[in-house]
Amino acid sequence: MNFSELKLIDPLLHAVRAEGYSEPTPIQLQAIPHILNGKDVVGCAQTGTGKTAAFALPILQRLTAQPRRQTAIRVLVLSPTRELASQIGDSFATYGRHLPLRHTVIFGGVGQQPQVQALKRGVEILVATPGRLLDLMGQGLVNLNTIEIFVLDEADRMLDMGFIHDVRRIISALPQKRQTLLFSATMPQDIQDLADRILVTPVRVEVTPQATTVEKITQSVFFVEKNDKRPLLEHLLDDPAIRRVLVFTRTKHGANKLVQQLERARIGAEAIHGNKSQSARERALENFKTGRTRVLVATDIAARGIDVEDVTHVINYDLPNIPESYVHRIGRTARAGAEGIAYSFCDTSERPFLRDIEKLIRLRVPVVTDHPYVSTQPFNAAPPSPTPSARKPVQQGQSNRRSSEQRRRQPSR
Ligand code: AMP
């Protein structure tokens, strides 16, 4: 099936062709006809599946089909992060380049004046993060009375990031009569409840990115102790095949420290995380996109929506404790059909995280055993327990019992 069979209008077909898309992705195939028909849609899909075009294309078409004489905000897209909001804005610009519709993106962390001016000039499509939008609403600078289509993107992240109350407040300012589209990578109960409340007889569309994305990525895990992670990373980076690599750390501090250490080893690296100013984040991203920086060190939240083509490798310097984050992270390589490589460093304390990840992706991640920093801890070692009582020395017999129990739980590690 190609895009023209989806009954998209020529200006959109031209734009899609210019982007080099030969056929719609599964989420686009499923969602576009319903959105064009004015249905509410719940989409279970993550970034990397083509979901932005799945809503942006039919939205642009609907706005074009029913032009308004006066400029008013007709579409609101809420995004949890500034990076994702910018990317959604870019997508509207790309797909709508042959249409006379205007959009703007508003988010916090930067001065509000240019955003206010853009709003005053008039836009049909507004992409926003919740905090700044509420701020501007409070100042009477944004009016949502004229919204016809509302998109809540990455709803599960909104929840994780504590934005759900802000989102509810924004929804209460929207007209009752509207089309609502909700996208979420996962569907926890809270999101399901929200969907039940804000959507009217929605169509559910679902793609199974976890399996499809993950299968295209060559994954491996390195068992390595914490102090050896940095030398292992430097060792791996000796390989010039690692051209453009996204390295994930758990904390912002960890990201900064790693960048300093890599710079000392004369490896070009920059960090991107929530403590950096918007301009520093954009600069880091731009340097990475253009290849000036080889290594971009990111935390999970900052990495949401990073859409850089040709990321050759993702390295999980720290394993995430939320298994879905692993899928999001490695999905940064293998964008739009390309194949990618993901390495994960796993120290003893992170082994339970690895088990959770493997359960989610229903795959055993192959272990690399021929590297210079192999952990001396046996693969089936029990992770250190965080409870003080369990740290008390145990007698020989007890210790043996624990490890055999552990072996039973982890048959091959
Ligand atoms: P998204 O899930 O919206 O973040 O999109 C992921 C990537 O897929 C972006 O780089 C898009 O440009 C690209 N993309 C979207 N739709 C298609 C398509 N039909 N064919 C090829 N690439 C696409």
Side-chain angles (χ1 to χ4, degrees):
M1 163 96 81
N2 58 34
F3 278 101
S4 49
E5 287 169 77
L6 285 174
K7 301 202 175 71
L8 290 176
I9 53 177
D10 281 344
L12 295 174
L13 291 178
H14 288 316
V16 162
R17 217 167 292 135
E19 283 304 287
Y21 302 171
S22 52
E23 51 183 40
T25 65
I27 189 81
Q28 292 163 4
L29 272 180
Q30 292 181 53
I32 289 175
H34 294 300
I35 302 176
L36 284 177
N37 278 337
K39 290 288 222 180
D40 282 6
V41 170
V42 180
C44 199
Q46 65 179 51
T47 302
T49 55
K51 78 174 153 61
T52 315
F55 65 78
L57 290 168
I59 285 177
L60 288 163
Q61 181 147 331
R62 278 176 69 72
L63 297 189
T64 308
Q66 296 165 351
R68 294 271 176 273
R69 236 178 290 134
Q70 273 178 343
T71 310
I73 306 173
R74 302 176 64 190
V75 176
L76 171 66
V77 183
L78 274 189
S79 142
T81 66
R82 326 184 242 201
E83 281 78 14
L84 182 65
S86 297
Q87 262 159 33
I88 295 170
D90 291 347
S91 296
F92 275 105
T94 304
Y95 305 136
R97 70 161 77 106
H98 303 299
L99 297 171
L101 297 163
R102 281 171 295 176
H103 76 277
T104 198
V105 182
I106 64 174
F107 46 73
V110 292
Q112 73 171 40
Q113 215 40 43
Q115 299 175 358
V116 173
Q117 269 152 13
L119 287 168
K120 286 201 171 130
R121 280 193 296 272
V123 294
E124 282 85 11
I125 301 158
L126 176 61
V127 185
T129 55
R132 174 58 60 93
L133 177 61
L134 276 174
D135 219 5
L136 297 184
M137 285 163 65
Q139 297 173 54
L141 296 165
V142 184
N143 179 351
L144 300 180
N145 282 345
T146 50
I147 295 294
E148 297 162 36
I149 307 176
F150 168 57
V151 183
L152 182 59
D153 199 13
E154 303 213 333
D156 52 350
R157 276 295 135 160
M158 293 279 191
L159 190 75
D160 289 351
M161 292 171 73
F163 291 154
I164 209 71
H165 293 295
D166 288 353
V167 170
R168 287 209 187 99
R169 280 176 58 203
I170 292 166
I171 291 171
S172 66
L174 298 173
Q176 287 285 323
K177 187 172 171 304
R178 57 164 199 263
Q179 182 178 14
T180 304
L181 315 173
L182 182 149
F183 289 89
S184 196
T186 54
M187 277 292 159
Q189 194 55 45
D190 285 356
I191 296 299
Q192 194 52 58
D193 294 346
L194 182 73
D196 291 343
R197 248 178 300 127
I198 67 169
L199 295 123
V200 182
T201 53
V203 177
R204 247 189 109 87
V205 297
E206 201 162 345
V207 289
T208 45
Q210 265 131 18
T212 48
T213 310
V214 164
E215 275 159 14
K216 268 190 283 168
I217 301 167
T218 309
Q219 300 162 67
S220 39
V221 60
F222 295 71
F223 285 126
V224 52
E225 283 321 307
K226 215 178 220 68
N227 290 339
D228 287 332
K229 285 186 173 183
R230 188 187 46 79
L232 173 61
L233 178 63
E234 288 177 16
H235 167 75
L236 292 176
L237 290 174
D238 282 342
D239 180 357
I242 305 187
R243 239 179 332 106
R244 187 170 295 161
V245 55
L246 199 49
V247 175
F248 283 93
T249 59
R250 196 167 310 126
T251 64
K252 300 168 197 169
H253 173 69
N256 287 340
K257 197 166 124 202
L258 184 60
V259 166
Q260 282 166 7
Q261 289 166 333
L262 290 176
E263 277 172 349
R264 250 178 262 137
R266 297 184 191 288
I267 297 168
E270 280 189 86
I272 183 165
H273 56 64
N275 279 6
K276 298 254 167 189
S277 71
Q278 181 65 14
S279 57
R281 286 154 67 144
E282 275 167 12
R283 209 169 37 241
L285 205 52
E286 196 51 35
N287 286 341
F288 187 57
K289 275 186 185 167
T290 55
R292 239 170 309 175
T293 307
R294 181 178 169 213
V295 184
L296 187 65
V297 184
T299 55
D300 283 307
I301 287 177
R304 291 300 295 181
I306 290 184
D307 183 14
V308 178
E309 287 188 8
D310 207 15
V311 171
T312 59
H313 293 69
V314 165
I315 298 182
N316 291 307
Y317 191 82
D318 298 315
L319 271 185
N321 55 350
I322 302 169
E324 282 83 3
S325 298
Y326 175 83
V327 179
H328 286 305
R329 287 178 178 190
I330 69 169
R332 308 286 122 189
T333 179
R335 303 296 278 174
E339 292 189 2
I341 296 174
Y343 296 146
S344 297
F345 295 178
C346 177
D347 66 31
T348 314
S349 71
E350 292 170 316
R351 291 187 190 175
F353 302 159
L354 179 64
R355 276 199 299 275
D356 291 345
I357 289 164
E358 291 182 328
K359 226 185 281 163
L360 176 76
I361 63 174
R362 289 186 227 107
L363 284 177
R364 267 280 142 128
V365 182
V367 182
V368 178
T369 48
D370 60 342
H371 67 87
Y373 301 98
V374 175
S375 167
T376 50
Q377 293 281 335
F379 290 170
N380 59 356
S385 170
T387 56
S389 60
R391 273 202 230 110
K392 274 194 233 146
V394 282
Q395 287 169 5
Q396 196 61 47
Q398 284 174 312
S399 153
N400 284 344
R401 249 197 324 273
R402 242 179 57 175
S403 60
S404 61
E405 197 179 288
Q406 192 68 26
R407 261 195 298 277
R408 273 201 300 281
R409 278 202 282 139
Q410 289 178 280
S412 64
R413 282 191 190 145

